[in-house]
Amino acid sequence: MASTTTHPVLSRRALNRATLDRQLLLRRAPLGVEDAVAHLLGLQAQNTKPPYYALAARLDGFRPEQLSGLMESRAVARIVTMRSTVHTHTAQDAVALRRLVQPGAIDRELAVFVARRGLDGVDLERLAALSRELVEERPRTPKQLREELLKVWPHADPQSLSLAARCLLPLVQVTPRGLWGRGGQVALTTTDVWFGDAVPKGSEGSEGSADLDAAVLRYLRAFGPASVKDMQTWCGLTRLGEAFERLRPRLLVFQDERGTELFDLPDAPRPDEDTPAPPRFLPEFDNLLLSHADRTRVVTPEIRSRTWQGNRAFSVFLLDGLLAGLWRLDEAKDSTTTLTIEPFAPVTRAQRAELAAEAERTLRIMTPPGTSYDIVHKEQSEKPA
């Protein structure tokens, strides 16, 4: 919302540098992988590889096997949470954040299935209970779950049945799905079964004001300074203004160049806007690009449409803190991996060298030792250094 009171103004560039710092993208952090996943409130995981690339861009000394090991030990897991999309979360957040965001995009998605009449005659409470019984007996693929549910509701839309179960229950994608270099089809069980006694169960519907206020503070630490609408975009909940008002005495208040009120933690870093921002290669759907209503702190309006094609999102890279182009990896049959860089605009020779160095570092992290690789700059135009 636009503020009627004058607060200190944060320029777009100042917002950019603050957000990059919170996102561990100004310098690689010496954090453990589990701590980083918790700090970032999860990693977008619509596909299996993006969480690994997201951490490679952010952590000092990261190796893909570290995240895979945490998944195998059930310290982190893949589950539908924010915006009703799949994220990789710590075990604690898989339970707590799923419970917190359930009344938002997840319940709205369920309402869509109901409105489409694909669930006519289906008792949702019975569907939830039967689905829980099935996936807790053993992990089931969505296809296997549909087949069992169709025995009870043969006239229902099969896809709606399994997707409704995903909305009604906190279902974890069990390993080997999501493991680096292994993978597997999606198979589901509940958080209760997957995490066991490692995570307190809590009571259904316990997402009270204390839980929400804690989430606001964590969101600001990872994505701030931010507006109420920014956080609503991140989590898929609405009407969060009351939570921010409760916390106002504990927060600093700024405004952006348009007058929108922004909140922040007093002790959070807000670097000088001239702080250097090195190139970073980010995966498709990285939360840096999806967690603010106003994305202009990272994405300029004229290039926003160039990062998508239909329902497909591309991997992107940052230059001077802003989204500046696309990249992709191609693995040839001869075991050669090629990383192709496609800037949206001509780059300087110095920027080209920095991109090449970051690309080489990414390849060293994300390919097995001894793998041969190549770096291709698709756009050859250059500006003077």
Side-chain angles (χ1 to χ4, degrees), residues 51-66:
Y52 295 90
Y53 287 104
L55 292 173
R58 290 169 164 89
L59 298 185
D60 185 33
F62 173 73
R63 295 296 306 173
E65 296 80 9
Q66 295 170 323

Side-chain angles (χ1 to χ4, degrees), residues 140-176:
R140 309 260 181 169
T141 68
K143 180 176 182 292
Q144 291 168 338
L145 186 56
R146 284 194 296 272
E147 289 172 348
E148 293 298 322
L149 295 174
L150 280 169
K151 294 176 182 178
V152 181
W153 295 286
H155 302 297
D157 174 61
Q159 195 76 8
S160 294
L161 285 172
S162 59
L163 290 174
R166 190 187 81 162
C167 291
L168 290 163
L169 298 173
L171 298 179
V172 172
Q173 295 186 4
V174 306
T175 54

Side-chain angles (χ1 to χ4, degrees), residues 131-132 135-136 169-172 188-195:
S131 298
R132 178 182 290 276
V135 299
E136 290 189 344
L169 298 173
L171 298 179
V172 172
L188 305 166
T189 192
T190 61
T191 53
D192 285 351
V193 166
W194 193 244
F195 300 126

Side-chain angles (χ1 to χ4, degrees), residues 117-136:
R117 306 186 68 83
L119 296 172
D120 280 356
V122 176
D123 182 322
L124 294 182
E125 288 189 11
R126 187 181 177 200
L127 172 63
L130 179 56
S131 298
R132 178 182 290 276
E133 181 181 324
L134 288 166
V135 299
E136 290 189 344

Side-chain angles (χ1 to χ4, degrees), residues 352-372:
R352 183 185 175 100
E354 291 174 346
L355 282 168
E358 181 66 11
E360 185 171 0
R361 185 187 187 283
T362 300
L363 286 164
R364 287 201 308 269
I365 295 172
M366 308 307 287
T367 58
T371 300
S372 60

